[in-house]
Amino acid sequence: MSSVRGKVLVIGGGIAGIQASLDLAEAGFKVYLVEKKPSIGGRMAQLDKTFPTLDCASCILTPKMAEVPRKANIELITYAEVIDIVKEKDGFRVVVKKYPKYIDETKCIGCGICVERCPAREKLGAPDEFNEGLSTRRAVCILFPQAVPRKAVIDPNICLYLTRKTCKVCEKFCPAQAIDWSDTEKILNLYVDAIVVATGYRFVDPRHPALSIYGYGKYQNVYTNIEFERILDSRGPTGGEILRRSDKKHPKRIVFIQCVGSRDYRINPYCSAYCCMASIKQAVLAKEHEPGVDIVILYMDIRAFGKGFQEFYERAVKEFGIRFVRGRPAKIVEDPNTKNLIVYYENTLKGTIEKIEADMVVLALGIVPNPPDFMKRLGLVEPDGRVKIKDPSDPIATPVEGLFIAGMLAGPKDIPDSVAQGSAVAMRVMQHILRRKVEVVAT
Amino acid sequence: MVTRTFESRVTYRINPELMDKIKKLGGVGISKCFDCGTCTVSCPFSEELGLEPFPRRIIKYIKLGLEDRLLSSLEPWLCYYCGDCSDTCPKNAEPAETMMATRRYLVSKYDFTGISRIMYFTRFGWLIAAIILAGIAFIIGWIFKGPIVTERVELGTFAPVDIVDTAGIAVLVILASILIVNIYRMYRFTVGSLKGISLSKAFIELIKIVPLHFLTQMRLAKCSFREYWYIHLMIFYGYGLSFILFVPLLRLTLTNKPFLFVDPLSIAGVLSTILLIIGATLAIKGRLEKKTHVWRYSHHTDWMFVILLFLVTLTGVLTGIFRTLGYPLPTYVTFALHIVLVTPFLALEVPFAKWSHLAYRPFSIYFHRLKTLKEGVVL
């Protein structure tokens, strides 16, 4: 490893973190890519299609994901969290906590036989995080079919052997003898020259008291947009069929509600940027899935600012017949018999109170940056949840020298912007490391 | 004032200062509103009576400076200030406060004398007016007061009932005339004319609607904060009872007899003061605690009302107590104070300030009915 020009830690294996890692590795830097989940891919892996081109999200993401383990300079550390960073003379000491997988990564071949055989299913299983809890997974699982690394992980909370000392079925069937019951939590210390934090975002809690008027969690047929995305996805819990939670029937009328938990002083004062286009995309996809479906988008303002966005919006209106109504509902009532939802809103362009009966309601949830705990401890997080930056014209550099941010963590944005910022942050890291080395040589 | 004619040849007068005026009267959050309509749907009143929905409509008029539209609106009076809209507002624009401020603005516009404008738009105007009126009451009282008997309580001798009664009725007639003119102005602004409705029909509706709503305030009960209705009723009936006792029945209550707890009149008097004291205390406590929307933001006219109400009640109660206990001088002093306070209280509050809603509230429901009765007019 004498040939590397510097060492970089990238936290978060979403599209921004992957892009930054690939660019840095390409330029001859050693990269430690730490991901909390068992696989990289992040939120984008959960998406079916991307706006405004309706390209398949996986077709863009998976080649980049697959590239990561092929780069010799990238050391991928999944199922691990950075718990602390300590500033040292020329860089940082990083403390990484690695969760036990109970599976030897070097031996696992990703065949999935253990998953098939695992008896901790149905009621013994757990909600599938990848499908936003719309399906259940087993105690041993591979996050999703295209996972990188494609290795199984055992969930100690529901594994029958780890909770009740019975079973060990996976061990019996594993063709590679990869099951390792003695696995424990490990702490790693890494020494790096610079850090990129790209830990992305979390959705606003749809059960927030201020959002109780929408009845999420109370009414079965109220969905969040990420849940709806999973339903649209052919790899998703319904195999790509749009089915209602209550009666497994195809909805005939879908209402999208925009700005749920965005531009709301009680929750999240700013615009989440992605939701307008995401809802238009989902509406168009729903129309493609079921041409007869009637779709209404209750919006506040359509913010179609990117390349091809406005055209996509106009296409949704003209070509797909999606109705856009300006208004923000304040009341949703469920019909107890049909489980249909009656949405009350003011059509603010007409000034009249209207109601729609819908079979399904989709909430376009706002998002909040999701900084790791150590950033909060370092005082790098603003009260509104955003990460502090050094200078408004430099959105990726934090006040800590050598600590950079990228992607959704730096503020709501779409996929192309996240990719661009991943590359931008890679360049800044190189600049940061190389400038120092040149100075050392010069003196 | 800017007059602009649009293509439809409807002329709108735009008053660019309207929003600033409403803000001064307590519409603190108007500029924050981004027209989402959440308030409209969350309002328990906006859908009934075939109304066009509020409060967003009213906020929009104010933002656009459409003063004429605002003046012709009855919606502010059909809002009962429960605060559901402010609770659901995502922008903290406090629509309930805008509605309250609009009511203050409308009171100042319905009043033809201009005194109301001084009450609402100047901070201490009410205090100066109150002091002047109190002074007049004091001087008139001083001139006409009877002999001071110190051996026993002779309130009827100290305050000759003929004079108090005549003065009271004179004040009442003046205030009622001003209020009636103001109600007529409200009618002109909102209904305009009775075109399309027969006079008898209009009269039947008046008999049906106004007394009922005046006496029950039943629409207030529809609000989510129901305790407010109880407090409101307490003050209303406490005041109503003491009004009957000390205005039409003054000749029976203002006598030289001690005010004992035995005859029905004294029992009624005690009951009315208990209601008033509890009601006024709860209202002052609420305004200080600021826990509910009705009391979170207090304009100076609100304070003026509750403070005067409390003081008037307190001096009345003290007069009754001293009279019962047989202390002559304290009785005369508290009674004089009572008269000095009650004059500005009635003279300022009833036609010009907060208390005028005793007429505007029930009449707004009536006028709204007239508006819907007029053919082709859907409010």
Side-chain angles (χ1 to χ4, degrees):
Chain A
M1 283 291 176
S2 57
S3 64
V4 295
R5 301 162 123 177
K7 291 179 183 173
V8 186
L9 168 74
V10 177
I11 310 171
I15 185 67
I18 291 172
Q19 187 64 39
S21 304
L22 290 176
D23 285 4
L24 284 163
E26 193 76 30
F29 290 81
K30 165 83 184 174
V31 177
Y32 300 100
L33 176 54
V34 176
E35 166 61 45
K36 192 160 76 175
K37 294 216 175 106
S39 164
I40 58 170
R43 283 288 181 193
M44 189 177 169
Q46 287 181 290
L47 304 183
D48 178 28
K49 300 274 161 57
T50 61
F51 57 78
T53 49
L54 297 184
D55 284 323
C56 142
S58 297
C59 309
I60 303 166
L61 178 66
T62 35
K64 285 187 194 284
M65 284 165 67
E67 193 68 20
V68 170
R70 264 188 266 152
K71 287 264 188 268
N73 279 354
I74 300 180
E75 189 174 330
L76 182 55
I77 308 168
T78 54
Y79 214 40
E81 261 185 285
V82 173
I83 52 171
D84 206 2
I85 62 165
V86 182
K87 186 101 176 133
E88 295 204 335
K89 210 175 98 214
D90 276 340
F92 301 90
R93 179 169 65 87
V94 181
V95 186
V96 179
K97 194 204 275 179
K98 221 168 165 300
Y99 298 111
K101 290 182 172 176
Y102 301 101
I103 282 173
D104 189 336
E105 275 180 278
T106 52
K107 288 183 189 160
C108 177
I109 53 169
C111 62
I113 288 175
C114 53
V115 183
E116 266 171 45
R117 297 289 176 173
C118 178
R121 63 182 79 166
E122 309 291 323
K123 276 183 185 157
L124 293 173
D128 188 342
E129 294 87 352
F130 186 71
N131 280 336
E132 292 296 320
L134 294 172
S135 61
T136 50
R137 59 162 172 77
R138 301 176 185 187
V140 57
C141 66
I142 296 173
L143 196 58
F144 55 99
Q146 298 79 13
V148 171
R150 197 183 144 85
K151 311 276 179 191
V153 180
I154 293 174
D155 179 351
N157 296 320
I158 57 166
C159 171
L160 295 174
Y161 178 68
L162 290 169
T163 55
R164 307 180 199 178
K165 299 282 167 211
T166 55
C167 187
K168 283 196 176 185
V169 167
C170 47
E171 195 176 5
K172 256 173 243 155
F173 286 96
C174 179
Q177 280 86 46
I179 312 289
D180 174 12
W181 300 111
S182 64
D183 201 1
T184 50
E185 213 168 77
K186 291 185 195 82
I187 300 288
L188 308 177
N189 274 293
L190 305 172
Y191 295 87
V192 295
D193 299 304
I195 298 174
V196 174
V197 190
T199 46
Y201 61 98
R202 61 181 172 77
F203 286 99
V204 161
D205 180 11
R207 291 182 176 84
H208 189 287
L211 301 179
S212 63
I213 45 176
Y214 301 128
Y216 181 83
K218 193 168 75 177
Y219 306 146
Q220 282 185 303
N221 295 324
V222 177
Y223 287 78
T224 65
N225 52 356
I226 188 74
E227 285 176 344
F228 193 70
E229 190 77 32
R230 294 311 304 143
I231 293 175
L232 290 170
D233 194 342
S234 55
R235 305 164 299 168
T238 56
E241 273 198 80
I242 308 176
L243 300 173
R244 306 208 300 170
R245 235 192 298 246
S246 66
D247 52 10
K248 308 278 175 262
K249 279 186 188 149
H250 295 266
K252 291 275 160 283
R253 295 156 299 184
I254 304 175
V255 170
F256 286 81
I257 300 174
Q258 298 303 109
C259 294
V260 176
S262 304
R263 303 168 75 194
D264 187 330
Y265 270 75
R266 297 161 301 174
I267 306 165
N268 192 12
Y270 47 78
C271 169
S272 294
Y274 85 99
C275 357
C276 284
M277 297 316 290
S279 288
I280 296 174
K281 172 198 76 181
Q282 292 184 342
V284 167
L285 290 176
K287 206 84 174 176
E288 282 185 343
H289 279 59
E290 318 226 354
V293 70
D294 182 25
I295 296 176
V296 175
I297 297 185
L298 297 173
Y299 71 98
M300 285 298 308
D301 301 286
I302 292 293
R303 295 186 165 170
F305 57 90
K307 186 185 177 190
F309 288 11
Q310 183 68 22
E311 292 87 334
F312 186 55
Y313 164 52
E314 280 159 20
R315 228 182 109 201
V317 177
K318 285 177 198 143
E319 198 177 311
F320 291 93
I322 290 155
R323 287 195 288 143
F324 288 81
V325 179
R326 192 181 181 284
R328 187 183 176 113
K331 194 163 73 175
I332 295 182
V333 179
E334 187 186 57
D335 182 329
N337 300 321
T338 57
K339 305 278 177 200
N340 287 350
L341 301 149
I342 301 148
V343 185
Y344 292 84
Y345 60 93
E346 184 190 354
N347 183 334
T348 56
L349 300 184
K350 280 193 198 159
T352 51
I353 293 184
E354 295 177 2
K355 61 178 178 185
I356 320 181
E357 189 173 341
D359 302 326
M360 197 184 238
V361 166
V362 182
L363 308 177
L365 286 183
I367 54 143
V368 193
N370 188 28
D373 287 339
F374 73 82
M375 282 190 118
K376 291 176 197 155
R377 279 204 301 277
L378 289 173
L380 292 174
V381 181
E382 309 261 14
D384 67 356
R386 290 183 180 239
V387 175
K388 273 185 193 158
I389 49 168
K390 208 167 138 190
D391 178 341
S393 63
D394 187 3
I396 54 176
T398 68
V400 177
E401 193 79 3
L403 183 67
F404 299 91
I405 55 174
M408 279 282 213
L409 181 70
K413 57 178 68 64
D414 62 1
I415 292 166
D417 285 359
S418 284
V419 174
Q421 214 166 45
S423 287
V425 83
M427 191 278 291
R428 288 295 297 275
V429 167
M430 294 176 208
Q431 209 181 43
H432 172 77
I433 296 172
L434 295 180
R435 184 181 56 202
R436 199 180 59 217
K437 295 212 165 151
V438 170
E439 276 165 8
V440 171
V441 171
T443 46
Chain B
M1 228 17 130
V2 186
T3 304
R4 227 168 264 174
T5 307
F6 294 99
E7 277 178 43
S8 58
R9 281 195 283 168
V10 178
T11 308
Y12 293 91
R13 274 221 315 268
I14 289 167
N15 180 359
E17 277 142 34
L18 184 62
M19 190 159 92
D20 290 338
K21 276 190 183 171
I22 301 283
K23 275 187 185 169
K24 254 189 199 162
L25 294 178
V28 281
I30 299 182
S31 319
K32 289 185 195 160
C33 171
F34 69 165
D35 286 302
C36 65
T38 308
C39 49
T40 309
V41 185
S42 63
C43 177
F45 296 103
S46 63
E47 219 182 351
E48 60 162 350
L49 293 170
L51 278 176
E52 296 229 357
F54 62 86
R56 196 184 69 86
R57 169 173 300 263
I58 297 301
I59 296 170
K60 197 79 187 169
Y61 288 161
I62 297 166
K63 287 205 291 188
L64 294 174
L66 295 174
E67 198 172 10
D68 297 347
R69 290 282 191 98
L70 192 63
L71 263 181
S72 67
S73 300
L74 284 165
E75 286 93 336
W77 296 108
L78 301 168
C79 153
Y80 287 82
Y81 205 18
C82 52
D84 287 1
C85 49
S86 287
D87 284 337
T88 51
C89 177
K91 298 296 276 184
N92 284 352
E94 303 283 6
E97 297 317 311
T98 302
M99 295 302 274
M100 187 65 227
T102 309
R103 284 191 286 276
R104 290 176 189 134
Y105 173 76
L106 290 178
V107 170
S108 80
K109 280 283 168 181
Y110 295 156
D111 174 43
F112 71 99
T113 60
I115 296 173
S116 203
R117 239 154 293 162
I118 299 171
M119 297 280 113
Y120 278 108
F121 286 102
T122 59
R123 209 156 203 170
F124 297 105
W126 71 274
L127 195 61
I128 294 163
I131 291 169
I132 293 171
L133 284 165
I136 294 173
F138 183 77
I139 292 164
I140 294 176
W142 188 260
I143 294 168
F144 289 105
K145 76 169 181 358
I148 298 168
V149 180
T150 48
E151 291 82 53
R152 58 190 174 277
V153 179
E154 280 195 9
L155 195 58
T157 316
F158 171 71
V161 73
D162 284 338
I163 287 161
V164 181
D165 202 20
T166 318
I169 285 168
V171 169
L172 202 70
V173 168
I174 296 169
L175 298 185
S177 327
I178 297 173
L179 197 56
I180 286 167
V181 175
N182 288 351
I183 292 167
Y184 178 71
R185 278 168 61 86
M186 180 192 189
Y187 160 81
R188 292 291 295 168
F189 285 138
T190 56
V191 187
S193 71
L194 278 182
K195 215 169 129 193
I197 319 168
S198 68
L199 213 59
S200 57
K201 177 81 183 151
F203 186 70
I204 290 167
E205 292 293 332
L206 175 74
I207 300 299
K208 259 167 50 184
I209 293 172
V210 176
L212 175 72
H213 288 280
F214 180 73
L215 292 174
T216 61
Q217 297 128 42
M218 54 200 254
R219 279 168 58 81
L220 184 58
K222 240 188 129 178
C223 265
S224 46
F225 176 45
R226 205 156 179 167
E227 294 84 341
Y228 185 62
W229 183 49
Y230 303 138
I231 295 170
H232 197 266
L233 280 179
M234 266 190 208
I235 297 180
F236 177 82
Y237 278 103
Y239 181 76
L241 203 54
S242 55
F243 180 83
I244 292 169
L245 283 176
F246 299 111
V247 182
L249 302 180
L250 187 75
R251 282 169 192 279
L252 298 176
T253 45
L254 186 63
T255 57
N256 281 341
K257 280 186 289 179
F259 198 72
L260 292 171
F261 295 101
V262 282
D263 60 309
L265 287 177
S266 329
I267 292 170
V270 170
L271 182 67
S272 79
T273 43
I274 289 174
L275 287 174
L276 274 175
I277 289 276
I278 297 175
T281 311
L282 287 175
I284 291 177
K285 188 168 155 265
R287 286 199 184 276
L288 290 171
E289 281 177 350
K290 302 180 189 201
K291 276 188 191 143
T292 50
H293 281 282
V294 221
W295 290 321
R296 190 162 298 155
Y297 298 88
S298 299
H299 192 246
H300 62 257
T301 47
D302 299 326
W303 282 116
M304 160 188 168
F305 179 76
V306 284
I307 291 171
L308 280 176
L309 176 66
F310 186 79
L311 289 177
V312 165
T313 314
L314 188 71
T315 48
V317 173
L318 286 177
T319 312
I321 290 173
F322 291 140
R323 198 173 156 189
T324 312
L325 294 175
Y327 297 154
L329 270 179
T331 311
Y332 306 150
V333 170
T334 47
F335 182 76
L337 262 177
H338 185 66
I339 293 294
V340 160
L341 284 167
V342 86
T343 312
F345 179 51
L346 291 179
L348 294 179
E349 284 293 350
V350 173
F352 306 120
K354 192 181 176 65
W355 216 352
S356 56
H357 77 270
L358 77 99
Y360 298 144
R361 284 277 189 202
F363 272 98
S364 68
I365 301 167
Y366 170 56
F367 292 155
H368 174 255
R369 179 85 185 123
L370 291 184
K371 256 180 146 175
T372 44
L373 279 177
K374 279 169 80 171
E375 51 170 345
V377 177
V378 181
L379 180 73

